[in-house]
Amino acid sequence: MSLYIILMGVQGAGKGVQAKFIEETYGIPQVSTGDLFRAMKTRTDELAVKVQNIMASGQLVDDDTTNAIVVDRLAQDDAQNGVILDGYPRNQAQAEFLEKHLAEKGDKINAVILLELDYFIAFKRAFGRVTDPSGESYNYYYKTDGVTIEWVDHPDNAFPPRLKATLDGSDQELKRRPDDASADAVLKRIDTFVETTQPLIDYFDGKGIIKKVDADQSIEAVTADIKTVIDELK
Ligand code: AMP
């Protein structure tokens, strides 16, 4: 059975980490449109530059571009038994496009897993996040063991203070995702999520395929809840 699962949740709800779990447990790849777009950051062609500018401002990429990039990804060999979609669809037009595209192949969306998280917690999870080269995440508000995280003023105060994180015992500075580093851009993503997602939740709810999971729990507890949902589908 093919498994097309949509993972929904505000920025910071843990979609990335949970998608990785589903990928490893059920053998279907994670397709994150955010990651597909971020992978364009070293390209200099017109499409890539357009996408880079849109992302830097926290806006959404237009539907036609997004749909075309997803169709291209779904056609690849590793996606033939299904995928976990993360960050797509973001609105009803994208959802209808996806349903039509899957129906043409005799497939359908099996479930929409909604990771529910309070928006203030979502802001702090995204804005406070820094990642070391191995992919381990730390957070200014929640997880500082092994790192020193501080606010550093701009020398001329021309820009807001910058969050600087250094691994203890080394002078290596950790990175923030560029789209997490601006409070405005994080807020705009949360706003966009609220505006565009509620209608989408209602839309999928009408089809009876929404499965709600509380994302304000440990990663392991969220994982266990997701496993229960998917095992029931199979
Ligand atoms: P994410 O990592 O999912 O937060 O995505 C980062 C950025 O990529 C978003 O702020 C958008 O600019 C763009 N993006 C990702 N997925 C979509 C989508 N389904 N539709 C439109 N834009 C998207």
Side-chain angles (χ1 to χ4, degrees), residues 191-226:
D191 272 353
T192 307
F193 176 84
V194 174
E195 269 169 35
T196 59
T197 307
Q198 193 55 50
L200 198 55
I201 292 169
D202 296 343
Y203 174 76
F204 284 130
D205 224 2
K207 296 176 178 259
I209 54 173
I210 287 263
K211 310 282 176 190
K212 292 183 180 168
V213 170
D214 177 9
D216 191 14
Q217 313 181 73
S218 69
I219 290 176
E220 295 72 23
V222 176
T223 297
D225 287 354
I226 290 178

Side-chain angles (χ1 to χ4, degrees), residues 127-128 140-141 149-153 160-164 176 181:
F127 190 60
Y140 176 74
Y141 303 101
I149 309 185
E150 56 189 341
W151 292 102
V152 180
D153 286 332
R162 168 175 88 78
L163 198 61
K164 181 181 175 198
R176 280 165 105 193

Side-chain angles (χ1 to χ4, degrees), residues 107-172:
D107 287 317
K108 63 172 183 172
I109 299 164
N110 300 90
V112 178
I113 299 177
L114 174 61
L115 298 178
E116 291 189 297
L117 188 67
D118 174 87
Y119 297 135
F120 185 54
I121 298 174
F123 176 85
K124 295 207 283 187
R125 282 191 181 181
F127 190 60
R129 171 167 59 187
V130 285
T131 307
D132 77 11
S134 73
E136 178 78 19
S137 280
Y138 300 87
N139 190 294
Y140 176 74
Y141 303 101
Y142 298 114
K143 184 183 170 203
T144 54
D145 280 358
V147 282
T148 302
I149 309 185
E150 56 189 341
W151 292 102
V152 180
D153 286 332
H154 184 268
D156 315 320
N157 288 326
F159 293 101
R162 168 175 88 78
L163 198 61
K164 181 181 175 198
T166 323
L167 264 188
D168 289 347
S170 88
D171 54 9
Q172 187 177 19

